[in-house]
Amino acid sequence: MPIVRVQEADFDAGRELEALTRGRTDVGALASFVGLVRGANGGRAVGGMTLEHYPGMTEAALADICAQALARWNILDALVIHRVGRLSPGDRIVLVGVTSAHRGEAFEACEFIMDYLKTRAPFWKKESTPEGEHWIEARESDDLAANRWKG
Amino acid sequence: MVTLLYFASLRERLGCSREQVPLPGAAATVSSLIEQLRDRDARWSEAFAPGQRWRVAVNQRMADLATPVKPGDEIAFFPPVTGG
């Protein structure tokens, strides 16, 4: 059963991933991804960012993405934790964890979940720079990354 | 009546995060609802002008211009997402 959480608080990646495999002997692979806030973007210094989301739809969209991964790959479980609110450079933003019997399925499903999260889950980033605050524009490269999983 | 929600840059541009509006007649769709919003004033017609990049969700599921809307629906408008 996938675990999906949207929260302001930080997470302990080690503890969350350990919980995914605790008490199980069928897990042979655990792939994970942690996204962090960068202190520069396109040559500009970034002092921090604020993440907005659509409560209700966000959780449903993340659960749907995990369900798609479970249907498509032979994986055992999936976890997504995504933070919202005010974040500073170096802060963790998102954690994805996927367990499977063998590594190939876990690697692929983990990447699929991140690619779909970036193009389908209703989060928006507002960056703070020395010139002021501005909303980050969606990138075409993220659409291309998501589209390669089609078909 | 339907509930409209606006997020991120679209919310700031329109100065509105949530409102209730009547449906534009029977057999309403996202498209006819947007026509109704565009008729309000320049701010709304520009925000929803052709070529503007926005997305729509009906009852918290991604939708498009042809998606039907009915009384009680929650319809959200927002820019392309940028999480992760």
Side-chain angles (χ1 to χ4, degrees):
Chain A
M1 194 59 200
I3 301 160
V4 165
R5 294 212 309 268
V6 179
Q7 61 188 42
E8 287 195 15
D10 192 14
F11 50 79
D12 180 335
R15 206 172 62 188
E16 300 292 345
L17 297 174
E18 200 274 327
L20 264 188
T21 60
R22 190 181 302 142
R24 301 185 69 143
T25 54
D26 54 345
V27 175
L30 165 59
S32 65
F33 172 85
V34 177
L36 307 163
V37 180
R38 273 175 291 125
N41 190 8
R44 278 183 313 194
V46 174
M49 64 169 58
T50 305
L51 262 147
E52 179 174 329
H53 77 123
Y54 180 177
M57 181 173 168
T58 314
E59 292 83 352
L62 294 175
D64 179 62
I65 292 165
C66 288
Q68 287 186 55
L70 279 157
R72 185 160 170 176
W73 284 277
N74 188 19
I75 59 175
L76 295 165
D77 211 349
L79 159 81
V80 179
I81 300 174
H82 202 299
R83 295 179 69 192
V84 292
R86 182 90 193 142
L87 297 174
S88 301
D91 282 353
R92 285 172 280 273
I93 306 174
V94 59
L95 170 68
V96 175
V98 177
T99 53
S100 61
H102 303 287
R103 71 183 185 285
E105 307 264 7
F107 273 133
E108 279 199 13
C110 185
E111 204 169 4
F112 165 86
I113 289 171
M114 267 314 296
D115 285 347
Y116 268 41
L117 182 157
K118 288 199 81 92
T119 51
R120 285 162 175 75
F123 293 101
W124 302 275
K125 287 181 184 140
K126 191 181 208 180
E127 224 170 47
S128 306
T129 68
E131 294 85 47
E133 289 194 319
H134 65 269
W135 293 96
I136 293 182
E137 295 281 327
R139 295 189 309 179
E140 195 186 355
S141 59
D142 287 333
D143 285 329
L144 294 174
N147 284 340
R148 73 198 156 115
W149 299 105
K150 284 190 177 152
Chain B
M1 299 290 277
V2 289
T3 301
L4 305 186
L5 304 176
Y6 307 93
F7 289 97
S9 55
L10 198 57
R11 167 174 53 78
E12 290 185 349
R13 182 174 184 173
L14 296 170
C16 179
S17 60
R18 181 188 192 95
E19 63 175 333
Q20 293 229 304
V21 301
L23 277 176
T29 60
V30 168
S31 180
S32 63
L33 186 61
I34 283 175
E35 287 305 320
Q36 178 178 274
L37 296 175
R38 274 189 195 135
D39 285 344
R40 283 177 165 172
D41 61 33
R43 194 162 40 132
W44 294 81
S45 61
E46 282 161 21
F48 288 104
Q52 288 292 320
R53 292 179 80 207
W54 49 267
R55 301 285 184 268
V56 60
V58 175
N59 296 327
Q60 305 193 353
R61 294 193 70 88
M62 294 303 287
D64 57 36
L65 285 171
T67 304
V69 291
K70 59 184 189 310
D73 279 353
E74 176 178 291
I75 299 136
F77 297 102
F78 43 80
V81 303
T82 55

